[in-house]
Amino acid sequence: MTLAATIKGVYAITPDCVDSADLLHRARMALAGGVKILQYRNKSANREQRVEQAHALRMLTREFGALFIVNDDARLAAHVDADGVHVGATDDSVEVARTLLGMQKIIGVSCYNHLTLAHDAVNAGADYVAFGAFFPSAVKPGAAVATVGLLQQARRELNIPLVAIGGITLHNAGMLLHAGASALAMISALFQTEDITDAVKKMSSLFELYPQNGIS
C-alpha cells in the first residue's frame, strides 16, 4: 500500500488557535479518538508560531502513528518533515510542491466543484483530490458548492482517494461515503464539540460500512 492510499477515514483539520497548548490538547483528543490524518491549518498565526505549532503537531502525530499534512505551505511541510501538503488554487503548484517535498510525500489538491481541476491535478501528480463545500460551512461561508453527483462522477473517473469537505456532520456524512468519498475532512464537527474524542469515534464508525472507498 502506498502512503497516499492511507488517505481514508476521518480527516481532521485544525481550527485557528493562537493558544498552542489548546491546539495541541484538541489535536491529542482527536488523535485519541482514532483520527489517522491531521492537517495543520492556521490562517491567523504568524510565521514563527506556524513553525512552532507545526513542529509540535508533527511530533504528536508520530506519537499516534497518524499522517500529518500541512495546509497551503509546501516549504513549511518540508521544514517539519510532514507527510505531505494540501494546496489550493492560489498556492504552489503540484510540480513545485513535489520539487520541495520529493516523490515519497503526499500532495493533495483542492478542486472545489470542478472535475476538470481534479483531472489536471492527477495528471500533474497529485496523490488525492478534495471537493467541496458539500454543505454550508461556518469556516468558509462563501465557499463554492459541490454536489453529490460530482463526487459520484469523480469516483467513476479517478482512481485516487477522494476527500469531501464542507459542513460535514454525523447526520449528512453517509451520503458522501455512499457516493464514493474516501475521507471526510472536518473542522467544526470535531473541534467545536464538547467531546472531541467521542465525535471522532462516532464519525469513524460510519466508514466500516464503506470499506470499498479506500484505494490500494
Side-chain angles (χ1 to χ4, degrees):
M1 179 183 290
T2 65
L3 189 61
T6 58
I7 298 290
K8 56 184 177 181
V10 178
Y11 187 139
I13 302 178
T14 61
D16 286 359
C17 281
V18 175
D19 185 339
S20 295
D22 180 48
L23 173 65
L24 290 172
H25 171 72
R26 295 197 207 186
R28 179 175 288 278
M29 294 303 98
L31 292 163
V35 160
K36 297 303 182 185
I37 314 157
L38 182 74
Q39 182 188 124
Y40 173 56
R41 178 186 186 273
N42 194 332
K43 299 295 187 179
S44 61
N46 59 34
R47 180 69 182 180
E48 182 179 0
Q49 187 174 44
R50 281 170 54 79
V51 171
E52 173 194 339
Q53 291 182 344
H55 267 301
L57 290 170
R58 167 72 286 188
M59 291 189 289
L60 186 63
T61 50
R62 281 186 174 143
E63 178 184 337
F64 282 88
L67 293 177
F68 181 53
I69 307 293
V70 171
N71 179 265
D72 291 353
D73 194 336
R75 289 162 184 80
L76 178 58
H79 181 67
V80 302
D81 193 28
D83 294 301
V85 68
H86 185 92
V87 297
T90 60
D91 304 318
D92 288 328
S93 66
V94 173
E95 292 85 356
V96 169
R98 184 65 71 196
T99 299
L100 290 166
L101 294 176
M103 294 303 297
Q104 301 307 311
K105 300 294 187 178
I106 298 169
I107 298 176
V109 179
S110 289
C111 297
Y112 312 103
N113 56 359
H114 298 291
L115 190 56
T116 53
L117 289 180
H119 280 286
D120 290 344
V122 171
N123 291 335
D127 297 296
Y128 75 86
V129 293
F131 295 103
F134 286 95
F135 309 102
S137 168
V139 176
K140 285 189 174 181
V145 177
T147 66
V148 172
L150 170 69
L151 188 58
Q152 292 171 326
Q153 185 176 356
R155 180 74 291 154
R156 290 193 297 268
E157 297 182 12
L158 303 173
N159 191 35
I160 62 171
L162 306 179
V163 178
I165 190 171
I168 299 170
T169 69
L170 189 63
H171 303 292
N172 60 31
M175 68 177 71
L176 299 177
L177 294 176
H178 183 70
S182 310
L184 302 178
M186 289 167 282
I187 303 176
S188 300
L190 303 181
F191 293 107
Q192 297 302 318
T193 59
E194 292 184 4
D195 190 332
I196 295 170
T197 300
D198 185 61
V200 173
K201 287 180 178 179
K202 288 178 178 176
M203 192 65 70
S204 296
S205 68
L206 295 177
F207 287 86
E208 297 174 7
L209 304 174
Y210 302 92
Q212 75 280 2
N213 290 359
I215 304 297
S216 59

